Amino acid sequence: MTATLIPPVSAPPAHRDPNVRRWLAAYTSSMLGDSVYYLALSWAAVRSGTPAQAGLVMSASALPRAVLMLGGGVLADRFGPRRVVVGSDAVRCAAVLAVAALLFLTSPGLWPLALLALVFGTVDAVFMPAVGALPARLTDQDQLTRVQGMRGLAIRISSVVGAPLGGLAVALGGAAAAFVLAGLLIAVSVPLLLSVRVRHLPGPGSGSTAWSDLGAGLRYIGRHRVLAPLMLAIALGDLGFVGPLNVGLTLLADRRGWGAAGMGWVLAGFGTGAGAASLLLAVRGRLPRAGLVTGWACAVGAVAVGALAFVPTLLAAVVTALFVGLLTGLSGALCGALLQTQSDPAYLGRVTAVSSLVSLGLTPLSMPFAAAAAGAWGLRPVYAVSAAVCGLGGVVALVVPALRRAELPG
């Protein structure tokens, strides 16, 4: 696919740019399809096997995603992120609809569900780096922070709308109907993406190999004065954040007697805060002293994470979760904007792959350890240690001069 070149003039503000809006519509539709897919997969797995077997199906995508993520970044840089995203969505759509057809026609058991999860994990390994590398080809650098805010809003809307939409499809037609809906939502993104105009940006040299491209990307990050410490800050921040806001929150709601409804209110508070942070960036388009703000937001957000285990009432937990979402959402969006603007475009896919690997591929491995530690020593020590690890990410951003002084384009 040959990229259509945008004329070399300044792009309009991202929220007014029809080209960016088409990309945002495609991205939102794809994320909605993802939300419906995960609900349909979990429902079908629980109905087809034991809880342990369902858990294995749900986790089957994690291994290929983690193992292949760095290679996905190389593909995004070599072939262009739009081409990779379109191909990924087409494969995911076909796989989901094929499983839906099987479920309509027969009762195949768990094996097609496990295979579908493996396919999704493999495709995610190339989809995620390409999605992260695409915004730089849509608009000017000074609009990338606003695009990160718009992308964050799309993620929040998809998570809020997707789950009840998938639940309605399951109620009306079972898991097969939900898979059909997921496939159609993902399919909508393909023509929208094909209509998006993209800039041509330099990629790896034509004579290089995939292995040499990967090595060059890792060396580029390791030598970069901003990207290297930023990757460490992202890894520490997410490592300390994942346990308390996933396994820890479930255990906390159970032991405090809040129940599933109470946990839902806490998650709603978190989602509201994170959505407000995304909206702030989408409206403002830029925050001055981005590196410094990132560090302080991560550090103060870590304190709020730790406080969740000590608040006495459900209302206090909801308010605390709102601050957690606001501060961690702000630091996360600014980290994404700094990755976009500090990276050489030729390496952007590989840079995004490394950040996705440390954020989404490796940090979930901490969840079993967090659960085991909570059982052995209680929730408060686990939350305190997790908050300290999360806070170290903010400390890195504050003590490394190049990262602390990093600015977004104005």
Side-chain angles (χ1 to χ4, degrees):
M1 184 188 306
T2 303
T4 304
L5 300 183
I6 296 176
V9 296
S10 295
H15 61 291
R16 298 177 182 172
D17 188 344
N19 197 53
V20 175
R21 288 176 178 175
R22 286 195 297 273
W23 163 79
L24 185 65
Y27 182 71
T28 304
S29 181
S30 182
M31 291 298 99
L32 274 172
D34 267 7
S35 294
V36 174
Y37 154 76
Y38 281 113
L39 187 141
L41 182 68
S42 62
W43 180 264
V46 167
R47 296 297 296 269
S48 301
T50 66
Q53 290 171 330
L56 287 174
V57 169
M58 292 303 296
S59 61
S61 61
L63 182 61
R65 183 167 55 226
V67 170
L68 301 174
M69 186 78 74
L70 296 180
V74 172
L75 290 177
D77 285 336
R78 275 182 162 251
F79 298 106
R82 189 198 30 193
R83 184 180 299 180
V84 173
V85 172
V86 169
S88 300
D89 276 346
V91 171
R92 294 194 302 161
C93 175
V96 170
L97 292 179
V99 170
L102 270 178
L103 292 177
F104 270 124
L105 297 174
T106 183
S107 299
L110 286 170
W111 70 265
L113 302 177
L115 181 60
L116 177 61
L118 286 171
V119 169
F120 255 69
T122 302
V123 174
D124 276 349
V126 296
F127 176 80
M128 290 178 176
V131 164
L134 190 53
R137 289 165 167 80
L138 304 177
T139 189
D140 292 337
Q141 274 204 338
D142 63 353
Q143 293 298 311
L144 289 177
T145 305
R146 179 172 275 126
V147 170
Q148 286 297 118
M150 295 164 68
R151 182 181 174 189
L153 283 173
I155 293 172
R156 298 301 161 195
I157 291 171
S158 299
S159 63
V160 169
V161 175
L165 195 61
L168 178 62
V170 168
L172 294 177
F179 278 129
V180 169
L181 177 60
L184 293 177
L185 286 168
I186 295 171
V188 168
S189 69
V190 174
L192 286 171
L193 283 170
L194 290 174
S195 70
V196 170
R197 296 169 294 142
V198 297
R199 286 186 174 93
H200 174 73
L201 295 176
S206 57
S208 61
T209 66
W211 281 110
S212 65
D213 289 345
L214 177 57
L218 295 176
R219 288 191 297 273
Y220 170 75
I221 295 170
R223 295 169 182 169
H224 200 285
R225 296 172 63 245
V226 173
L227 294 180
L230 184 58
M231 293 295 182
L232 179 59
I234 291 171
L236 289 169
D238 286 346
L239 187 64
F241 174 82
V242 165
L245 264 295
N246 288 277
V247 176
L249 184 57
T250 304
L251 295 174
L252 189 65
D254 179 62
R255 295 183 185 182
R256 296 288 178 85
W258 298 339
M263 187 175 73
W265 278 109
V266 175
L267 288 173
F270 170 79
T272 300
S278 296
L279 181 62
L280 172 67
L281 294 179
V283 172
R284 285 187 59 87
R286 178 182 183 272
L287 288 181
R289 308 189 74 177
L292 185 66
V293 173
T294 298
W296 279 114
C298 186
V300 178
V303 175
V305 168
L308 274 173
F310 296 87
V311 294
T313 65
L314 175 59
L315 177 60
V318 172
V319 173
T320 304
L322 188 146
F323 280 103
V324 171
L326 180 64
L327 293 165
T328 58
L330 180 61
S331 63
L334 287 175
C335 282
L338 286 169
L339 287 174
Q340 293 270 330
T341 56
Q342 293 286 330
S343 300
D344 184 320
Y347 294 94
L348 195 48
R350 284 161 286 180
V351 169
T352 306
V354 173
S355 68
S356 298
L357 178 63
V358 300
S359 180
L360 301 173
L362 300 181
T363 53
L365 299 177
S366 68
M367 287 193 286
F369 297 101
W377 298 298
L379 280 170
R380 287 184 173 181
V382 170
Y383 267 81
V385 171
S386 297
V389 173
C390 186
L392 284 175
V395 171
V396 169
L398 293 173
V399 302
V400 177
L403 178 53
R404 184 178 70 248
R405 298 168 185 158
E407 292 280 7
L408 296 169

